[in-house]
Amino acid sequence: GSHSEGQSVFAQILESGLPDEETFIVHRGQFVFAIMNAYPYAVGHLMVLPKRQIANLSDLTQEESRELWATVARANEVLQSEYNPHGLNVGINLGPAAGGSVSEHLHVHIVPRWRGDANFMTSVANAKTISEPLNETAARIRHAWTNC
């Protein structure tokens, strides 16, 4: 609808009223939430972002900033426990020139990495293909978030 003009895809998802299973949201906090990347670079690729649509780190309130980084840390723990990657990339693309696809809504990428991970799935037990279905990843992460 026209009310969604100027709204980021993330803001639209938050306001959609759709169940988290359909939107791939894996955690909802007071000021921030975590969602699977719909076009993951690797299995378990998460994004943590403020619910408020802001573009810059300097736009974060103290409360938002505190919760954002605490949630990033928690996401790291969850991915480590559930997927046991060799490493993790955590990063933010600020501004359109940095390659951020949704530069108007700040989001922190958390990407599990495996040694030689052009072919990384070979190091994940029983994995025959490059990835697992996104809904399966989301369910695993959602479960681990509350249980690990």
Side-chain angles (χ1 to χ4, degrees):
S2 58
H3 80 285
S4 65
E5 240 174 277
Q7 262 198 331
S8 74
V9 61
F10 303 125
Q12 290 174 41
I13 286 169
L14 267 183
E15 290 178 20
S16 67
L18 291 169
D20 292 350
E21 287 70 27
E22 282 182 43
T23 59
F24 304 112
I25 290 174
V26 294
H27 167 77
R28 288 172 180 267
Q30 187 179 355
F31 301 111
V32 308
F33 67 108
I35 189 169
M36 303 305 308
N37 190 320
Y39 308 101
Y41 309 153
V43 172
H45 182 171
L46 280 179
M47 297 176 296
V48 175
L49 55 161
K51 293 178 178 178
R52 211 160 55 89
Q53 183 174 318
I54 52 177
N56 302 300
L57 286 169
S58 55
D59 297 327
L60 290 166
T61 65
Q62 277 191 324
E63 292 81 8
E64 284 170 332
S65 186
R66 224 186 330 255
E67 192 184 326
L68 180 77
W69 296 114
T71 304
V72 167
R74 180 72 184 134
N76 283 315
E77 288 171 13
V78 167
L79 289 170
Q80 285 288 5
S81 73
E82 191 62 26
Y83 287 93
N84 198 29
H86 297 139
L88 290 155
N89 285 130
V90 178
I92 311 175
N93 300 315
L94 293 168
S101 52
V102 189
S103 57
E104 73 275 14
H105 199 150
L106 178 78
H107 50 288
V108 183
H109 290 271
I110 302 147
V111 186
R113 298 299 303 267
W114 286 265
R115 281 184 212 97
D117 64 8
N119 194 20
F120 68 89
M121 284 307 289
T122 52
S123 60
V124 179
N126 304 325
K128 303 284 185 282
T129 59
I130 193 70
S131 95
E132 66 184 3
L134 199 58
N135 59 336
E136 202 177 302
T137 308
R140 284 177 65 173
I141 290 173
R142 213 175 274 122
H143 182 261
W145 202 289
T146 48
N147 293 287
C148 84

